[in-house]
Amino acid sequence: MALTPARTMPGVLELLPLDQIAFQRMLDVIRRNYERFGFLAIETPVIEFSDVLLTKTGGETERQVYFVQSTGALNAAGKVDEGMPELALRFDLTVPLARYVAEHERDLSFPFRRYQMQKVYRGERAQRGRFREFYQCDIDVIGKDALSVRYDAEIPAVIHSVFRELDIGPFTIHMNNRKLMRGYFESLGVLDAEQQMLVLREVDKLDKRGADYVRDTLTGAAFGLDAEVTAKILAFVQVRSTSLQDALDKLDALGPGPEAMEQGRAELKEVLNLIHAFGVPESAYALNLSIARGLDYYTGTVYETTLNDHPQIGSICSGGRYENLAGQYTKSHLPGVGISIGLTRLYWQLRDAGLIDTAKSTVDVLVTQMDEAQLPAYLALAGELRGAGIATEVVLEGGKLGKQFKYADRAGIRFVIVLGEDEIAKGVVTVKDLRREDQFEVARSELIKTLRVELEQAAAMG
Amino acid sequence: MALTPARTMPGVLELLPLDQIAFQRMLDVIRRNYERFGFLAIETPVIEFSDVLLTKTGGETERQVYFVQSTGALNAAGKVDEGMPELALRFDLTVPLARYVAEHERDLSFPFRRYQMQKVYRGERAQRGRFREFYQCDIDVIGKDALSVRYDAEIPAVIHSVFRELDIGPFTIHMNNRKLMRGYFESLGVLDAEQQMLVLREVDKLDKRGADYVRDTLTGAAFGLDAEVTAKILAFVQVRSTSLQDALDKLDALGPGPEAMEQGRAELKEVLNLIHAFGVPESAYALNLSIARGLDYYTGTVYETTLNDHPQIGSICSGGRYENLAGQYTKSHLPGVGISIGLTRLYWQLRDAGLIDTAKSTVDVLVTQMDEAQLPAYLALAGELRGAGIATEVVLEGGKLGKQFKYADRAGIRFVIVLGEDEIAKGVVTVKDLRREDQFEVARSELIKTLRVELEQAAAMG
C-alpha cells in the first residue's frame, strides 16, 4: 500500500506532549481563575446552522467561515451538492453565546456569568502566526434588561487575577469608554459613527507611521479635518494615566462635553474607583484613550491588555461592554460585558519570545524494572503512589537500567525509583532525582511523604 | 430585523450550566486518573486533510464524515465548488493518533503513553441517543517494533481506577483475546476470518433473540454449520468467569487447540495474572468469551466494560490490542493497546437513568449586597475568599435580599454571606447554608477556616 504522508493542515498548532502540558497548565490557570470569580462553564457545539452563525450580512467573507457537509450531502457522483451549506464551524464564542442565551433564556439565572474555553475556526490565509484553529477563553456577564456598570469593574479584577497567576511578566489593562470617545469626537464636529471609525483607524497608525503621517492624513483631502481638530484628536488619543488619581484628573481635564461624553466619563470614573475596591493594584491598569476596539459592537467600557516588556505582542486580552447580546435571536434586551483571551496565539508568541519554560512531565515518578521477577512488587509500589495522588509510570518491559533512565530523562520525568532485591530486603527504595543528578535512599514507609515534599518543592520552584 | 430562531443542530448535547459542571467533573476524574497512570495529554486539530483521515476505502460512508470547506472555496456564485473536499472533521481519535505518532515519531519516547479527550464528529442519522458531536476519552500505549503483553494488563487497572472514582455503581471489565477466539473457530473448521465475523455477529444476537434463533441461523442455509460445531460455538461464547482462578480454569478447560488459540490463551493468562498484581479486585473483571469488537482492527486482548446494575447501557469503555497503529502513514511497526470512553453518550445515558445527581455550582459562595454603601467591604471580603481558593460571586447590583437568596438557590450556590452594618461593627459575618436551610454567625477572622471545613464536608458528602 502506498503511504499517505502524515501531516496537519497549515494554521493549526499541534504540540508535542511536554509543550501540550505547558499549554494545558495555562488553560488550567485561566479556568481556575474564572471559576474563582464565580463564572460558570458552558460548552457549545463546534458545528452550528449557518443561518444562526451568519445573521449579519457580509459576515461569512469577513470571518472566513468554514462550511460543513456530511457524507449524506454528497451526490451520486461523490461530489458535494451545490448551494450554501446548511452547517458551519463557529468562528468565535460570542455568536454561540448569544444563541445559547437566547435559546436557554428561561433556564438561566441573570446576571448570567459564563466562561467558555473552546476552539474556534477561521479560514485564514496561511501565514506565520495566523491560526485557523485556536482557543478562545471568554468570560461574559449578561444582564436581563439592564446590567450595572459595576460589572465593568469586575472584569479587570479577573484579568489581573489570571495574568498574575500565569506569571508571564508585568502587564497593563488599558481602559477607555466608547461613549466618552464618541462624545468627544462629536464635540469636535466629527458626528458620523463611520467617519469616527475611519479617523480612529488612521490614529491607530500613530505608533507605526508617526504623528506627522497621521496629521497629514487627517487634514488631507480624504478627511478634511481642521488642524486644530486634528491636534485635539491626537492629544486625546495620547492620554495615558500613571495612577488612579491621575486617571481621574485626566478625565476631568478633558473639559465639559456633550451628553454621551459626560456619560462615558461618569462610567469610567465609577469603574476606575471600583477597580480599586476590587484590590487591583494601580500599576496593573491605566486609562488609555486610544483604545477603540471596533465601533459596531462595543458601546461602553473597552479593554485591552498588554505585556509591559513585550509590547510587540499586542493585546493579549480584549473586550468590553455591549448594549445587546442577542438582538438577532430574541426580543429580550441582554446587555453584557466580557473579554476574550486568544490562548493559542498567546502561547505561540510567548514560546516564540522564549517566555515559556520547557514543561516537566505530568508524570511524577517512573518505577524502573531492575529485576523482572520483582514486577509484582513494582506494581504494588506504583499502586500505592497513585493512591496517594502521585502520577506514576511503571516500566513494564525491562531492559538495561541506563536505557530506562534515559527514557525518563527524555520524557521529562524527574524522579526515578530503583528497587532491587537488596532494597526490598532492607525495606528501602532508591530515588534518583534526574534534575539534580542526585540519588538518595529512603525507607519504603517514608517514600510517599518524601516524594510529596520533593514534588511540592519542585512545583514551588517552577 | 426578522429574528433567526436560536437553535442547535440535532445530535449535539448542549448542557445548562449545572449539567455542564456535572459533565466537567466526569472529564476531570477521567483526566486525573489517566495522568495518575502516567499517560501524557495530546490534542490534535478537529480538521484534518481528507486523504489523511480516509486512507481506508469505504471509510467515508461508513463513518459518515463531515467535510469542510472555507469561504475561499466558494465560487463567484456563492456556491461550493464541486469535487471531493480537501478537509474533513475527525470521526474518532484513533486515526489522528496514528497520524500524530507517524508525523512526530522521532520526537516521541516509546512506549508512547498518550491520553486524548476531545470531541469527534459523525454525520449520524438524527435519532435519540445518537450523537453527531461527542467526547471520546482515549488512552493508548504505543510500542516501537514491539510492545509487551504486560501493557494489556495495565489497561484494566486504569479502567478500574477511573470508574471506581466516577462512582456510578459496580462494573465489570469483560476480557477476551482475538487470537484465542480465532484459534478456537479454526479448530472447529470455521477458517475464514470474514466467516468468523459473520458467525460472531449472529452470536451477538443471543441476548435479544435467544439461543434457538441463533442455533437455527447457524445450522441453516446461510451458514450451514454442523449442530455439534454450533453447540460448541454457543458454549464457547457463553463462557464467563467468576474469579481469577475460575477464569484460569475455564481457559484450561477449553482443551488444546491450534497455535493461535494457544498463543491467545497464554496471553490471556499472563494478562489475568498481572491484572491481579495491579491490585484490581477480582469482582471488577471477568473472562467473557463473547467479546469480539470487530475483527479487522484488534488482534489480541479485547475489553468491554458494563455497569452491573445497568446492562442495557451496554459497553461504557471498550478497546483492545492492535498489531500496527499507523501502517497507512509509516513503515515503522507500531503495535499498541488502548481503550476509549464515549463520555457524551455515557453521561446522557446515566442522566437518563437518573444516576447523575444535580450538580452543585462551581460557585462556593455568594456575597450578597445588603447595603450598597458597603460594596467596598463586600469586594474586599470576596477578594480574601478568592485568595483562599474559594470561588466567590458578589452581587454587584443590589435589590431585595430575598431575591438575592432566590438567585443563589436557583443557581445551585450553597453558601450565602450576609454582611450588614451591624455585622461589620461586631466583626462578624452571617453565613446562610441554603442546603440545610440554616444560618450561623462567624467571626470575620474565622470565616475562611469555617467555610473551608463546610466546603470539604459538602464535597465529601457528595
Side-chain angles (χ1 to χ4, degrees):
Chain A
M1 189 172 77
L3 295 180
T4 304
R7 65 212 194 278
T8 52
M9 75 166 178
V12 301
L13 187 69
E14 184 168 85
L15 302 173
L16 289 169
L18 292 188
D19 291 331
Q20 185 68 47
I21 290 168
F23 188 86
Q24 184 65 46
R25 290 208 169 118
M26 295 182 80
L27 277 175
D28 289 343
V29 165
I30 296 171
R31 177 179 158 197
R32 185 160 59 238
N33 279 280
Y34 284 176
E35 290 193 351
R36 205 166 277 172
F37 274 83
F39 289 87
L40 298 168
I42 71 165
E43 289 197 351
T44 65
V46 162
I47 307 175
E48 299 252 10
F49 285 122
S50 304
D51 71 314
V52 168
L53 281 187
L54 304 169
T55 50
K56 287 162 187 171
T57 50
E60 62 265 50
T61 39
E62 269 174 51
R63 307 289 193 167
Q64 305 195 268
V65 173
Y66 280 114
F67 289 107
V68 171
Q69 291 193 304
S70 75
T71 318
L74 291 182
N75 62 32
K79 312 271 185 175
V80 172
D81 283 338
E82 289 199 13
M84 164 70 119
E86 191 191 8
L87 302 171
L89 301 184
R90 63 169 170 238
F91 47 80
D92 69 8
L93 300 180
T94 302
V95 174
L97 170 65
R99 195 265 310 143
Y100 182 96
V101 175
E103 185 173 346
H104 305 295
E105 196 180 325
R106 278 169 307 179
D107 296 311
L108 300 175
S109 301
F110 291 90
F112 177 52
R113 304 161 67 83
R114 89 85 173 77
Y115 78 86
Q116 189 172 359
M117 299 169 54
Q118 294 193 284
K119 287 174 177 168
V120 304
Y121 297 85
R122 294 189 192 169
E124 297 272 5
R125 215 151 37 84
Q127 198 181 330
R128 191 179 141 79
R130 286 268 179 195
F131 293 100
R132 293 174 174 173
E133 174 184 75
F134 56 98
Y135 267 103
Q136 286 196 330
C137 307
D138 286 18
I139 50 171
D140 286 85
V141 186
I142 313 295
K144 186 81 185 274
D145 302 320
L147 184 77
S148 162
V149 73
R150 289 172 187 159
Y151 288 93
D152 297 23
E154 191 182 35
I155 297 288
V158 183
I159 299 175
H160 176 252
S161 183
V162 166
F163 286 100
R164 186 184 47 185
E165 194 176 337
L166 280 178
D167 199 20
I168 51 175
F171 55 90
T172 305
I173 306 162
H174 303 269
M175 298 178 55
N176 194 0
N177 185 294
R178 288 289 319 134
K179 287 174 198 152
L180 177 81
M181 212 167 205
R182 178 157 58 83
Y184 189 77
F185 275 76
E186 279 170 15
S187 76
L188 298 178
V190 184
L191 302 175
D192 181 64
E194 202 150 326
Q195 177 78 348
Q196 289 178 5
M197 193 176 69
L198 293 172
V199 171
L200 286 170
R201 197 174 290 164
E202 289 308 314
V203 164
D204 233 19
K205 298 175 185 164
L206 258 177
D207 283 347
K208 277 189 194 151
R209 299 295 197 83
D212 285 346
Y213 169 85
V214 174
R215 197 177 296 113
D216 288 350
T217 309
L218 292 182
T219 53
F223 288 90
L225 296 179
D226 282 357
E228 199 192 339
V229 165
T230 300
K232 279 187 173 170
I233 288 173
L234 288 179
F236 180 88
V237 299
Q238 286 179 86
V239 169
R240 306 282 184 282
S241 69
T242 55
S243 69
L244 172 56
Q245 192 54 53
D246 184 48
L248 299 172
D249 291 345
K250 278 181 173 149
L251 283 173
D252 285 334
L254 293 173
E259 199 191 328
M261 184 171 160
E262 294 306 337
Q263 211 182 326
R265 173 154 45 197
E267 286 180 10
L268 256 181
K269 282 177 154 186
E270 188 175 351
V271 168
L272 286 163
N273 278 310
L274 213 52
I275 289 177
H276 190 67
F278 265 102
V280 181
E282 294 183 36
S283 59
Y285 61 94
L287 184 70
N288 177 339
L289 299 190
S290 76
I291 304 298
R293 305 233 35 91
L295 276 175
D296 51 346
Y297 187 59
Y298 294 112
T299 52
T301 315
V302 282
Y303 318 92
E304 285 190 0
T305 308
T306 55
L307 292 173
N308 297 358
D309 300 337
H310 303 276
Q312 81 288 355
I313 286 181
S315 180
I316 58 177
C317 173
S318 314
R321 155 74 68 150
Y322 39 87
E323 190 49 36
N324 195 13
L325 175 71
Q328 68 271 47
Y329 308 123
T330 172
K331 284 178 179 164
S332 297
H333 184 63
L334 301 166
V337 61
I339 45 150
S340 183
I341 302 173
L343 191 64
T344 301
R345 184 168 164 270
L346 176 59
Y347 169 86
W348 182 83
Q349 287 174 313
L350 292 173
R351 198 178 63 171
D352 209 46
L355 294 170
I356 305 244
D357 282 341
T358 310
K360 290 148 292 186
S361 176
T362 40
V363 182
D364 297 318
V365 171
L366 181 75
V367 178
T368 55
Q369 191 182 123
M370 196 181 191
D371 177 359
E372 192 168 357
Q374 302 295 345
L375 190 57
Y378 302 146
L379 294 180
L381 179 66
E384 278 174 46
L385 295 176
R386 287 170 187 146
I390 296 172
T392 306
E393 176 177 346
V394 185
V395 177
L396 293 180
E397 219 157 2
K400 288 187 184 144
L401 263 189
K403 215 180 129 194
Q404 297 179 37
F405 294 154
K406 214 169 143 191
Y407 166 83
D409 192 42
R410 194 168 176 223
I413 306 173
R414 178 161 172 181
F415 296 104
V416 172
I417 284 179
V418 184
L419 191 60
E421 226 173 306
D422 288 0
E423 278 102 345
I424 292 176
K426 280 166 54 189
V428 298
V429 170
T430 298
V431 179
K432 229 175 129 71
D433 180 341
L434 295 181
R435 181 79 57 88
R436 276 203 297 257
E437 301 188 354
D438 191 17
Q439 69 175 52
F440 54 90
E441 223 176 65
V442 57
R444 170 74 186 255
S445 56
E446 295 291 306
L447 177 62
I448 285 174
K449 218 176 79 187
T450 306
L451 281 175
R452 273 196 179 144
V453 171
E454 292 281 346
L455 290 166
E456 267 165 38
Q457 277 179 355
M461 312 276 284
Chain B
M1 190 172 76
L3 295 180
T4 303
R7 66 211 195 280
T8 52
M9 76 165 177
V12 300
L13 188 69
E14 184 169 85
L15 302 173
L16 289 169
L18 292 188
D19 292 330
Q20 185 68 48
I21 290 167
F23 187 87
Q24 184 64 47
R25 289 208 170 117
M26 295 182 79
L27 278 174
D28 289 343
V29 166
I30 296 170
R31 177 179 158 198
R32 185 160 58 239
N33 279 280
Y34 284 176
E35 290 193 351
R36 207 166 277 171
F37 274 82
F39 289 87
L40 298 169
I42 71 164
E43 289 197 352
T44 65
V46 163
I47 307 176
E48 298 252 12
F49 284 121
S50 305
D51 72 314
V52 169
L53 281 187
L54 304 169
T55 50
K56 286 162 187 171
T57 50
E60 62 265 50
T61 41
E62 270 174 50
R63 307 289 193 166
Q64 305 195 267
V65 173
Y66 280 114
F67 289 108
V68 171
Q69 291 193 302
S70 74
T71 319
L74 291 181
N75 61 32
K79 313 272 186 175
V80 172
D81 283 337
E82 288 197 13
M84 165 69 120
E86 192 192 7
L87 302 171
L89 301 185
R90 62 170 170 237
F91 47 79
D92 69 8
L93 300 181
T94 302
V95 176
L97 170 66
R99 196 266 309 144
Y100 182 96
V101 174
E103 185 172 348
H104 305 295
E105 197 179 325
R106 277 170 306 179
D107 297 312
L108 301 175
S109 302
F110 292 88
F112 177 52
R113 307 161 65 82
R114 87 87 170 78
Y115 78 87
Q116 189 171 359
M117 300 169 55
Q118 294 195 282
K119 286 175 177 165
V120 304
Y121 298 85
R122 293 188 193 170
E124 297 272 5
R125 214 151 37 84
Q127 198 183 330
R128 192 179 140 78
R130 287 267 179 196
F131 294 99
R132 293 174 173 172
E133 174 184 73
F134 56 98
Y135 267 101
Q136 285 196 331
C137 306
D138 287 18
I139 51 171
D140 285 86
V141 186
I142 313 296
K144 186 83 185 273
D145 301 320
L147 185 75
S148 163
V149 73
R150 290 172 186 159
Y151 288 94
D152 297 24
E154 190 182 36
I155 297 286
V158 184
I159 298 175
H160 176 253
S161 183
V162 166
F163 285 100
R164 186 182 49 184
E165 193 176 337
L166 279 179
D167 198 22
I168 52 176
F171 56 89
T172 304
I173 305 163
H174 304 269
M175 297 179 56
N176 194 0
N177 185 295
R178 289 288 320 133
K179 286 175 198 152
L180 177 81
M181 212 167 206
R182 178 157 57 82
Y184 189 78
F185 274 77
E186 279 170 15
S187 74
L188 298 179
V190 185
L191 302 173
D192 181 64
E194 203 150 326
Q195 177 80 344
Q196 290 177 4
M197 193 177 68
L198 293 172
V199 170
L200 286 171
R201 199 175 286 165
E202 288 309 312
V203 164
D204 233 18
K205 298 175 184 164
L206 259 178
D207 283 346
K208 276 190 194 149
R209 298 295 195 85
D212 285 346
Y213 169 86
V214 174
R215 198 178 297 113
D216 289 350
T217 309
L218 292 183
T219 53
F223 288 89
L225 296 180
D226 282 357
E228 199 193 338
V229 165
T230 300
K232 279 188 174 170
I233 288 174
L234 287 178
F236 180 87
V237 300
Q238 286 178 84
V239 170
R240 306 283 184 280
S241 70
T242 55
S243 69
L244 171 56
Q245 192 53 53
D246 184 50
L248 299 172
D249 291 345
K250 280 181 171 148
L251 283 173
D252 285 336
L254 292 173
E259 198 193 328
M261 185 171 158
E262 294 306 337
Q263 211 182 327
R265 174 155 43 200
E267 286 180 9
L268 256 180
K269 283 177 153 185
E270 187 175 350
V271 168
L272 286 164
N273 278 311
L274 213 50
I275 288 177
H276 190 68
F278 265 104
V280 181
E282 295 183 34
S283 59
Y285 62 95
L287 184 69
N288 178 338
L289 300 190
S290 75
I291 304 297
R293 305 230 40 88
L295 277 175
D296 52 346
Y297 187 60
Y298 294 113
T299 53
T301 316
V302 282
Y303 318 92
E304 285 191 1
T305 309
T306 55
L307 291 174
N308 298 358
D309 300 336
H310 303 276
Q312 80 288 354
I313 287 181
S315 180
I316 58 176
C317 173
S318 313
R321 155 75 65 152
Y322 39 87
E323 190 49 37
N324 195 11
L325 175 72
Q328 68 271 48
Y329 308 123
T330 173
K331 285 179 178 162
S332 298
H333 183 64
L334 301 166
V337 61
I339 45 151
S340 181
I341 302 173
L343 190 64
T344 300
R345 184 168 164 270
L346 175 59
Y347 169 86
W348 182 83
Q349 286 174 312
L350 292 174
R351 197 178 65 171
D352 210 45
L355 294 170
I356 303 245
D357 284 340
T358 310
K360 291 148 291 184
S361 176
T362 40
V363 182
D364 298 317
V365 171
L366 181 76
V367 178
T368 56
Q369 190 182 123
M370 195 182 191
D371 178 359
E372 193 168 354
Q374 301 296 346
L375 190 56
Y378 302 146
L379 295 180
L381 179 65
E384 278 174 45
L385 294 176
R386 287 170 188 147
I390 297 172
T392 305
E393 176 177 347
V394 185
V395 177
L396 293 180
E397 218 158 3
K400 287 186 185 147
L401 263 189
K403 214 179 127 194
Q404 297 180 36
F405 293 154
K406 216 170 139 190
Y407 166 83
D409 192 43
R410 195 169 175 223
I413 307 172
R414 177 160 172 183
F415 296 103
V416 172
I417 285 179
V418 184
L419 192 61
E421 224 173 309
D422 287 0
E423 278 103 344
I424 292 176
K426 279 164 57 188
V428 298
V429 171
T430 298
V431 179
K432 228 175 130 70
D433 180 340
L434 294 182
R435 181 80 56 88
R436 276 203 298 256
E437 300 188 354
D438 191 17
Q439 69 175 54
F440 54 90
E441 224 176 64
V442 56
R444 169 73 187 255
S445 56
E446 295 291 306
L447 178 62
I448 285 174
K449 217 176 77 187
T450 305
L451 280 175
R452 273 195 179 145
V453 171
E454 292 281 347
L455 289 166
E456 268 165 36
Q457 278 180 356
M461 312 276 283

